[in-house]
């Protein structure tokens, strides 16, 4: 197998893993495919872990601001 083919296989595998990772997290408002990896790398691997985290904990995640936290809490209050 050529080096190019090996690299493509590795990339495709990583893309698939990221897609599976993000599938659950993107069910929450404000989490998209671009920032889901930040949550995952910060240790928030399930929607439940994000919901149960404090506002202060969430704000330590790169790309998360107060507007995300407010939107999340408002959405959860409606459910």
């Amino acid at each position: 197998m050529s080096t190019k083919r090996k690299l493509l296989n590795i990339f495709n595998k990583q893309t698939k893993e990221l897609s599976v990772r993000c599938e659950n997290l993107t069910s929450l408002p404000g989490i998209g495919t671009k920032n889901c990896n930040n949550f995952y790398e910060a240790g928030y691997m399930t929607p439940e872990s994000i919901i149960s985290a404090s506002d202060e904990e969430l704000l330590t995640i790169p790309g998360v601001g107060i507007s995300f936290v407010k939107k999340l809490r408002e959405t959860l209050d409606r459910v």
Side-chain angles (χ1 to χ4, degrees):
M1 186 181 288
S2 71
T3 303
K4 189 175 183 179
R5 168 116 33 237
K6 286 179 186 178
L7 288 174
L8 282 173
N9 284 342
I10 290 169
F11 176 76
N12 287 336
K13 183 177 178 185
Q14 288 174 340
T15 302
K16 189 180 231 180
E17 289 171 3
L18 181 60
S19 176
V20 170
R21 241 190 245 186
C22 291
E23 191 174 306
N24 287 332
L25 298 184
T26 56
S27 66
L28 293 174
I31 300 180
T33 54
K34 289 185 179 182
N35 66 352
C36 73
N37 202 42
N38 293 343
F39 286 90
Y40 198 88
E41 288 181 1
Y44 298 96
M45 299 173 191
T46 64
E48 294 80 14
S49 65
I50 295 170
I51 291 167
S52 64
S54 71
D55 295 353
E56 292 78 20
E57 291 171 325
L58 293 175
L59 290 169
T60 64
I61 300 169
V64 172
I66 194 68
S67 60
F68 166 79
V69 174
K70 284 181 179 179
K71 184 177 181 179
L72 178 67
R73 300 301 181 215
E74 286 172 3
T75 303
L76 294 175
D77 285 341
R78 290 184 209 151
V79 176

